[in-house]
Amino acid sequence: MAYPVERLQRNRQSPQIREFMKEIRLSPEDLIMPLFIHEGRSESVEIPSMPGCYQHSLANIVEEATHIAQLGIPAVILFGIPTHKDNEGSSASDQEGVIQQAIQMIKEQVPELLVIADCCCCEYTDHGHCGPLKDGELDHDATLARYQDIALSYAKAGADIIAPSGMMDGMVQAIRGKLDQDEFTHLPILSYSVKYASAFYGPFRQAGGAGDVFTSDRAHHQMAITQSQEAFREAQLDEDEGADMLMVKPAMSYLDIIHQLKAQQRRPILAYHVSGEYAMIKAAAAAGIVSEADAFEEQLIALKRAGAHKIITYYAKEYAQSYGSKKEQT
Ligand code: PBG
């Protein structure tokens, strides 16, 4: 059948029909808000590279979490900026550390909000690498032991989901084993399974308070942008090691990977719309060359259409706010 019998515009002719035909519906429930918490601050400070995002303090984190939950966003993912950094990233597993305190405070005061704890050393080491260095090289086995300790401290603090982000071989198995040994068999692991060595993490490195020591070269453990077969092996290994959810990161340049993983794997796929992806829309909007709300909605819908079950995005709050005010108008 072809034109003039077939007319696709029939299904687009009015706002009501367009609404009726919608395949994808985005709502705040699809989103996860990342939060940075700075141990040394008493108030929130805006991150210069990420306008509209803040380094929060422990003093205001409950207020922020309450607001996020009220907007209908189901989960947050936490990143800490400690006052003390060393070779081992020892403050990352401190039971009184900034993230452990934040988890406890949020779970006490806003229990309905799921707390995902990012598990890595890179914000906690004085050299900015994802684990301890030995003779100038990353010490792989020592790194896995660090991840075990960090994960356990998050579990004890009350985290709902542990999210190892270092892309180290064997990290899911190491963490699962440790959690099970300590009777946290119920605690899910969201693995950053497919994490590319990307240019789009730039603003995060400023947000994470790492400055120049956060080296951009992580090519020995993050994936090269040229690879796709490897992505499926990474995801499969994580499944085999016991990951409950898989993540693809960054988001927009990897829609093909999300789409294929969704078809192949039997685990929910989450997408991380990263700091650079956020900052680029902010910059384009500030320059007056895109409509900001339309641009980020288009990207978030594309991720859902590709197969992402949930999306981690710095736009979560802004999207939920505009969603709420649209609802009020109708
Ligand atoms: C590592 C980590 C990074 C991001 C999240 N977790 C930085 C990196 O791998 O270099 C980046 C997130 C973003 O850019 O928004 N713990």
Side-chain angles (χ1 to χ4, degrees), residues 185-227:
T185 50
H186 61 282
L187 202 57
I189 296 178
L190 160 60
S191 178
Y192 285 61
S193 300
V194 182
K195 179 171 173 183
Y196 285 92
S198 168
F200 296 107
Y201 305 147
F204 179 93
R205 297 192 177 156
Q206 194 178 66
D212 298 337
V213 294
F214 233 153
T215 50
S216 57
D217 184 14
R218 297 188 176 188
H220 58 296
H221 55 278
Q222 297 182 351
M223 272 184 47
I225 58 173
T226 49
Q227 306 305 87

Side-chain angles (χ1 to χ4, degrees), residues 20-35:
F20 185 66
M21 295 314 300
K22 260 191 193 171
E23 292 177 51
I24 302 286
R25 274 173 210 282
L26 185 70
S27 87
E29 285 164 45
D30 297 313
L31 308 179
I32 298 166
M33 182 73 195
L35 292 177

Side-chain angles (χ1 to χ4, degrees), residues 122-123 165 195 201 204-205 218 222 249 274-275 314:
C122 60
E123 293 119 45
S165 64
K195 179 171 173 183
Y201 305 147
F204 179 93
R205 297 192 177 156
R218 297 188 176 188
Q222 297 182 351
K249 176 184 165 191
V274 301
S275 57
Y314 303 95

Side-chain angles (χ1 to χ4, degrees), residues 1-264:
M1 234 186 329
Y3 180 84
V5 179
E6 188 60 290
R7 292 171 189 261
L8 292 180
Q9 287 170 4
R10 282 189 206 111
N11 285 357
R12 301 177 199 143
Q13 62 186 293
S14 67
Q16 291 78 8
I17 285 202
R18 288 195 292 275
E19 186 60 30
F20 185 66
M21 295 314 300
K22 260 191 193 171
E23 292 177 51
I24 302 286
R25 274 173 210 282
L26 185 70
S27 87
E29 285 164 45
D30 297 313
L31 308 179
I32 298 166
M33 182 73 195
L35 292 177
F36 299 101
I37 307 151
H38 197 303
E39 191 173 14
R41 295 211 194 290
S42 51
E43 52 198 46
S44 298
V45 174
E46 196 170 23
I47 300 161
S49 58
M50 301 173 71
C53 284
Y54 294 82
Q55 286 182 343
H56 295 285
S57 70
L58 282 169
N60 69 16
I61 200 64
V62 167
E63 189 187 335
E64 182 66 16
T66 306
H67 186 208
I68 288 168
Q70 280 166 353
L71 286 168
I73 298 167
V76 290
I77 181 164
L78 306 184
F79 298 96
I81 302 124
T83 45
H84 171 75
K85 299 191 184 206
D86 56 28
N87 179 50
E88 276 76 38
S90 56
S91 53
S93 56
D94 181 350
Q95 204 58 53
E96 296 302 311
V98 60
I99 291 302
Q100 289 78 358
Q101 288 191 55
I103 294 169
Q104 242 174 320
M105 290 162 76
I106 297 172
K107 290 316 298 182
E108 255 167 45
Q109 307 286 326
V110 201
E112 70 274 24
L113 189 67
L114 287 170
V115 175
I116 307 173
D118 179 271
C119 177
C120 193
C121 293
C122 60
E123 293 119 45
Y124 301 85
T125 51
D126 51 13
H127 41 69
H129 288 281
C130 299
L133 300 184
K134 197 165 116 190
D135 305 326
E137 297 282 326
L138 194 91
D139 184 342
H140 188 87
D141 294 349
T143 300
L144 293 187
R146 293 293 303 125
Y147 292 177
Q148 290 179 317
D149 291 347
I150 299 168
L152 188 61
S153 71
Y154 290 163
K156 287 181 179 162
D160 295 295
I161 299 173
I162 307 291
S165 64
M167 274 291 277
M168 295 294 147
D169 286 341
M171 70 181 182
V172 173
Q173 185 177 49
I175 292 171
R176 183 74 273 156
K178 184 75 170 179
L179 292 176
D180 290 355
Q181 216 176 29
D182 279 85
E183 291 172 18
F184 289 103
T185 50
H186 61 282
L187 202 57
I189 296 178
L190 160 60
S191 178
Y192 285 61
S193 300
V194 182
K195 179 171 173 183
Y196 285 92
S198 168
F200 296 107
Y201 305 147
F204 179 93
R205 297 192 177 156
Q206 194 178 66
D212 298 337
V213 294
F214 233 153
T215 50
S216 57
D217 184 14
R218 297 188 176 188
H220 58 296
H221 55 278
Q222 297 182 351
M223 272 184 47
I225 58 173
T226 49
Q227 306 305 87
S228 63
Q229 294 295 346
E230 241 172 277
F232 309 122
R233 291 182 67 196
E234 285 285 1
Q236 189 59 53
L237 277 173
D238 279 357
E239 271 206 32
D240 296 346
E241 290 182 21
D244 302 281
M245 309 164 212
L246 310 176
M247 192 198 297
V248 175
K249 176 184 165 191
M252 298 317 298
S253 306
Y254 303 95
L255 295 176
D256 55 332
I257 305 293
I258 295 170
H259 189 69
Q260 292 181 65
L261 273 183
K262 161 87 173 167
Q264 287 180 16

